[in-house]
Amino acid sequence: MPNSGIEVLFEGSNFERLLGGLLVTIEISFVSIVIGTVLGVLMGLLRTVNSRPLRLVLRLYLEAFRIIPILVWLYVVHFSFSPMLHIDISGGATAILVFSLWGAAEIGDIVRGALESMPKHQVESGHALGLSRGQLYRYILIPQAVRRMLPGSINLATRIVKTTSLVVLIGVIEVVKIGQQIIELGVIKAPNASFWVYGFIFILYFIVCYPLSRLSRRFERKWQN
Amino acid sequence: MAKLAEEGNADMTKTGELLLKVQGVHKTFGDRQVLKGIDLQVERGEVIVILGPSGCGKSTLLRCLNGLEPVQGGHILYRGQDLAGGDVNWRELRQHIGMVFQNYELFPHMTVLENILLGPLKVQRRERAEAQQQAQELLGRVGLADRAGDYPRQLSGGQKQRIAIVRALCMNPDIILFDEVTASLDPEMVREVLDVILGLAKQGMTMIIVTHEMGFAKSVGDRIVFMDQGTVCEVAPPEQFFTSPATERAQHFLNIFEYNKL
Amino acid sequence: MNLDWEFIMESLPLYGDAMWLTVKLALIAIVLSLVLGLVFSLVLFYKVKGLRSIILAYIELSRNTPLLVQLFFLYYGLPKVGIHMSEFQCAVAGMTFLGGSYMTEAFRSGIEAVGRTQLESGLSIGLSRVQLARYVILPQALAISIPSLGANAIFLLKETSIVGAIALMDLMNVAKDLIGMHYKTAESLLLLVLAYLILVLPLSLLLTWVERKVRHAEFGN
């Protein structure tokens, strides 16, 4: 292991810059998750509507994201949409667009699953207790739906955070890109920089994702029954 | 099944040989004491029925006898060898001490015959032809000769439990432990399983049976062992136990069953 | 939209080569991941001291970091400490590092789904620990794991789209180059999407079919 080189992380403003890059990654993820959740809940509700064509279209929409890699969708939007439609769309906007649409598809599937698995007798026994419609949702249906959806949704959030690493490939200046800049600048002074920089970014992602996946697993265990 | 009862087996009758001796066995789960000094002796050819309220430790005792639970104190002497110590070859011993479980636990991915032969072929390394012949014979005795090629999922609960008994028998054990083997069965299937066990008893098989079937306990047992709260409260022949139990706890226990009959 | 069909025909061999690279890479990574997963899940099952916590730590590291960063570390970082690998070797190593943890989890949940009482039943007829794994646990666990193993295989196949980042001439880089050199954006992207559709769709349909089949044929006990 090179005993020289780790200083590169703390030279000048490198450390702050890397964290700043991480913040860009987190921002893109966060905005995408928020938009994706809103659209996804809507989509999940639509997928339980009793209309075959609608359900088919929404299913195909989901499968498009499950079959074609996300990086391909990033490329498609990045390379085609802007020149074709004469809209100048930044890498960050491209990423948020793709991740939001992907998130919506997956959240929609989670919401649909939760809604469809809601047992009918829960509603009936709620009625039998004399609960009003509002109370039924407030005390019985929504808490159960949340329990069913939360682990999968947090898991999806982890996946989205990990996938944001790809946005460097469509020119977004985020943590990996800043890492590359630091490595290039220090090519003579710190020839081993790439080991430390990429190792550090590896750990940064772990620090962000690990708590999320722990949380998801905790909820999963807690609400298994 | 009736056939089983008629066939006597000369070398399996009671000889007075002490097969199993349990001395002061203690078992704890965390800080909960489940067995608090159990004493029990089993002679060859004897049928011991263990009764007691749920949670009294009777199933745990059986599991200790088969090495599925380690004990924290006391001795389990099987033909003089102590099984309570750390250095026990359970693989070898389990060939002599068979066990039948409440939920049958047949292997779902194997046929009936494969289930029965797994132990004889892989553990005992016996000849396939010879083992298979014995398996077929045993299947015939429990009335399931034609089910050798079936998978467990194709069988009823009672049939599965009879197969599980054959699987234990085919290892030619000295003793078989029965852990509430009818507790998961539909009522109409209980009888066919109990009949098989009754047949084995008449044949002189040594057995320790944990059950909640009082009538069965009365007719199959040579001795009734009544357990409560991790201790043996009473050991008595069935007639005596069921007509005039010596301890208050046994009386109380039997009263509950009387009440249930009302 | 007017597509340049001549260009499409001329580009086909390039996409064909790239698809072959993807298939080759995915196959090797999937097989290695399966081997790793099987071994690791057995180590976890037997609770091998020391190894167990190493494997658990590996699973967390692998599952909570992006493949792209894993690849960059392998490709740019490791040579600095004297470990040199070709692009292809790096891609295989990175994807196996990623896939191994997913496969371990799939095998592990299959093994855990085989009830404790099944193990006791096997023990009670005198099976050794190894025999128990071979005759009782693995046959049942594998059947249970097949859908998630399949899903992981498809996941790995899709993840190959990232290896272009370490200069392998995969589908992504072919498309990118064609766009850069000829400005045939629509054609290049169309072929790119089609290529992945051809690779992934049949497997995805197969998996759906297998899942349905397995659900129906679940072992009843």
Side-chain angles (χ1 to χ4, degrees):
Chain A
M1 194 151 300
N3 44 16
S4 66
I6 193 167
E7 312 86 63
V8 73
L9 295 178
F10 307 102
E11 230 161 66
S13 58
N14 284 355
F15 191 74
E16 290 84 357
R17 286 181 64 209
L18 281 169
L19 289 185
L22 185 69
L23 206 62
V24 172
T25 303
I26 292 173
E27 266 170 23
I28 292 176
S29 313
F30 183 77
V31 173
S32 307
I33 290 165
V34 170
I35 299 175
T37 305
V38 173
L39 289 177
V41 170
L42 216 73
M43 206 167 283
L45 291 171
L46 283 177
R47 284 189 67 190
T48 57
V49 170
N50 202 1
S51 150
R52 277 186 83 89
L54 180 64
R55 282 207 307 229
L56 184 74
V57 168
L58 292 175
R59 179 71 205 268
L60 285 178
Y61 172 76
L62 170 68
E63 290 302 327
F65 285 102
R66 294 229 168 131
I67 288 168
I68 307 295
I70 299 302
L71 184 58
V72 173
W73 290 127
L74 285 174
Y75 272 32
V76 166
V77 174
H78 178 68
F79 285 115
S80 70
F81 281 11
S82 25
M84 227 183 272
L85 307 172
H86 304 288
I87 311 169
D88 193 20
I89 173 169
S90 76
T94 301
I96 288 173
L97 177 65
V98 170
F99 291 149
S100 299
L101 292 177
W102 170 40
E106 294 286 0
I107 292 278
D109 201 46
I110 293 171
V111 170
R112 177 200 57 82
L115 290 174
E116 284 179 356
S117 68
M118 197 66 73
K120 234 195 210 104
H121 62 247
Q122 287 289 315
V123 177
E124 285 162 3
S125 59
H127 280 310
L129 288 172
L131 295 179
S132 72
R133 210 181 152 73
Q135 286 171 323
L136 193 69
Y137 275 92
R138 163 80 181 74
Y139 295 109
I140 298 182
L141 296 181
I142 292 177
Q144 288 193 48
V146 166
R147 279 162 192 231
R148 272 162 227 255
M149 295 185 305
L150 213 48
S153 307
I154 299 173
N155 212 16
L156 178 68
T158 328
R159 281 168 63 202
I160 290 180
V161 172
K162 282 190 288 178
T163 313
T164 41
S165 64
L166 300 183
V167 302
V168 66
L169 301 176
I170 55 166
V172 178
I173 315 248
E174 43 67 84
V175 63
V176 177
K177 185 75 207 171
I178 288 170
Q180 287 172 344
Q181 291 170 350
I182 291 172
I183 291 165
E184 276 160 29
L185 277 175
V187 86
I188 294 159
K189 259 176 62 193
N192 293 331
S194 58
F195 178 85
W196 296 108
V197 168
Y198 287 125
F200 182 61
I201 295 173
F202 184 85
I203 291 165
L204 281 181
Y205 266 102
F206 182 77
I207 290 170
V208 175
C209 293
Y210 181 64
L212 284 175
S213 61
R214 275 293 291 271
L215 193 66
S216 158
R217 219 170 328 154
R218 259 221 357 236
F219 284 139
E220 213 169 312
R221 293 236 171 96
K222 193 167 146 196
W223 293 331
Q224 220 158 29
N225 312 321
Chain B
M1 269 171 281
K3 261 196 292 173
L4 196 60
E6 290 157 22
E7 290 172 37
N9 194 329
D11 49 70
M12 269 196 169
T13 44
K14 277 164 234 171
T15 57
E17 181 201 347
L18 190 61
L19 208 54
L20 198 64
K21 186 173 182 178
V22 179
Q23 274 181 324
V25 160
H26 281 265
K27 168 79 199 167
T28 52
F29 287 117
D31 29 290
R32 199 163 56 90
Q33 260 207 310
V34 187
L35 300 178
K36 307 167 186 165
I38 301 287
D39 295 313
L40 183 66
Q41 296 197 6
V42 185
E43 286 175 16
R44 192 182 276 284
E46 228 186 342
V47 178
I48 304 285
V49 176
I50 305 180
L51 298 177
S54 4
C56 70
K58 51 194 194 300
S59 283
T60 306
L61 176 61
L62 276 201
R63 294 166 58 79
C64 292
L65 298 182
N66 204 20
L68 295 176
E69 303 282 357
V71 299
Q72 276 78 39
H75 303 281
I76 300 171
L77 297 165
Y78 170 76
R79 304 176 84 173
Q81 186 195 350
D82 195 353
L83 311 187
D87 203 26
V88 178
N89 184 356
W90 279 109
R91 275 199 71 197
E92 161 69 19
L93 272 161
R94 284 173 180 138
Q95 298 175 38
H96 305 297
I97 306 177
M99 183 150 180
V100 183
F101 297 85
Q102 177 178 342
N103 291 311
Y104 345 117
E105 298 305 334
L106 296 179
F107 306 123
H109 57 296
M110 297 180 182
T111 64
V112 165
L113 190 65
E114 285 167 348
N115 262 282
I116 300 170
L117 291 182
L118 184 64
L121 295 184
K122 301 298 173 195
V123 179
Q124 298 180 323
R125 308 250 169 230
R126 284 155 60 185
E127 289 287 328
R128 174 174 276 277
E130 175 267 324
Q132 192 164 340
Q133 199 192 346
Q134 188 191 3
Q136 282 296 351
E137 193 187 302
L138 289 168
L139 279 173
R141 286 210 216 167
V142 301
L144 293 170
D146 53 337
R147 308 311 290 268
D150 286 4
Y151 281 91
R153 62 173 175 275
Q154 297 167 277
L155 305 175
S156 72
Q159 289 171 328
K160 276 188 260 199
Q161 197 56 292
R162 280 185 275 159
I163 300 295
I165 294 173
V166 168
R167 184 172 66 178
L169 277 175
C170 206
M171 304 284 290
N172 298 315
D174 291 326
I175 181 168
I176 302 186
L177 314 172
F178 290 88
D179 187 10
E180 304 203 32
V181 293
T182 57
S184 296
L185 294 176
D186 291 335
E188 73 272 18
M189 290 172 184
V190 169
R191 186 61 201 244
E192 65 191 55
V193 172
L194 295 185
D195 277 342
V196 169
I197 303 175
L198 274 168
L200 289 173
K202 290 202 175 110
Q203 209 187 317
M205 187 76 211
T206 314
M207 298 186 278
I208 303 178
I209 300 169
V210 167
T211 185
H212 283 294
E213 301 283 336
M214 292 301 143
F216 171 66
K218 206 171 188 170
S219 62
V220 79
D222 292 317
R223 279 190 296 154
I224 303 288
V225 172
F226 175 72
M227 285 178 65
D228 193 17
Q229 294 173 3
T231 57
V232 172
C233 300
E234 189 168 344
V235 182
E239 316 79 54
Q240 190 186 326
F241 179 79
F242 283 104
T243 50
S244 52
T247 59
E248 210 171 296
R249 280 195 271 183
Q251 281 166 15
H252 181 69
F253 174 73
L254 289 171
N255 275 341
I256 290 168
F257 278 87
E258 288 300 319
Y259 181 75
N260 281 348
K261 279 181 191 157
L262 291 179
Chain C
M1 202 189 310
N2 283 322
L3 292 177
D4 182 345
W5 288 100
E6 202 177 320
F7 173 80
I8 288 180
M9 295 313 286
E10 279 171 10
S11 316
L12 279 183
L14 286 174
Y15 279 91
D17 289 347
M19 275 171 87
W20 173 232
L21 176 81
T22 296
V23 169
K24 210 164 50 177
L25 182 63
L27 266 182
I28 296 174
I30 288 166
V31 169
L32 291 178
S33 300
L34 282 171
V35 173
L36 220 58
L38 186 62
V39 172
F40 286 3
S41 62
L42 284 173
V43 171
L44 292 178
F45 170 70
Y46 286 122
K47 300 194 166 66
V48 181
K49 281 200 191 82
L51 279 183
R52 190 183 131 84
S53 35
I54 293 174
I55 289 173
L56 289 176
Y58 152 70
I59 290 175
E60 295 302 342
L61 273 181
S62 154
R63 292 194 65 125
N64 288 303
T65 49
L67 177 61
L68 184 81
V69 178
Q70 295 168 7
L71 286 175
F72 278 0
F73 184 74
L74 289 173
Y75 187 65
Y76 298 109
L78 282 190
K80 308 296 177 195
V81 290
I83 301 169
H84 296 271
M85 286 188 279
S86 72
E87 290 87 354
F88 191 79
Q89 286 167 335
C90 268
V92 168
M95 293 196 38
T96 307
F97 179 81
L98 178 76
S101 67
Y102 280 78
M103 295 300 188
T104 306
E105 296 274 48
F107 280 119
R108 179 159 74 154
S109 63
I111 289 174
E112 277 170 6
V114 178
R116 195 176 57 100
T117 46
Q118 276 281 305
L119 310 190
E120 293 180 346
S121 172
L123 288 175
S124 79
I125 57 170
L127 293 179
S128 67
R129 301 267 278 167
V130 174
Q131 285 176 325
L132 198 63
R134 177 164 162 211
Y135 297 112
V136 177
I137 298 163
L138 285 182
Q140 296 184 62
L142 287 183
I144 298 167
S145 305
I146 282 174
S148 35
L149 294 174
N152 289 345
I154 291 177
F155 163 72
L156 283 177
L157 177 61
K158 287 166 64 188
E159 288 291 290
T160 54
S161 59
I162 295 168
V163 301
I166 54 167
L168 276 169
M169 212 43 190
D170 77 326
L171 286 165
M172 304 306 295
N173 273 348
V174 165
K176 206 168 139 187
D177 279 7
L178 288 178
I179 293 170
M181 287 187 293
H182 306 282
Y183 301 105
K184 298 285 184 192
T185 310
E187 289 83 354
S188 306
L189 290 174
L190 182 69
L191 285 173
L192 177 66
V193 170
L194 280 179
Y196 274 104
L197 212 55
I198 291 167
L199 287 173
V200 184
L201 186 60
L203 290 176
S204 168
L205 291 173
L206 180 70
L207 181 67
T208 313
W209 180 78
V210 168
E211 271 174 348
R212 206 168 293 156
K213 196 102 178 147
V214 168
R215 209 173 306 144
H216 281 293
E218 257 165 26
F219 301 122
N221 193 355

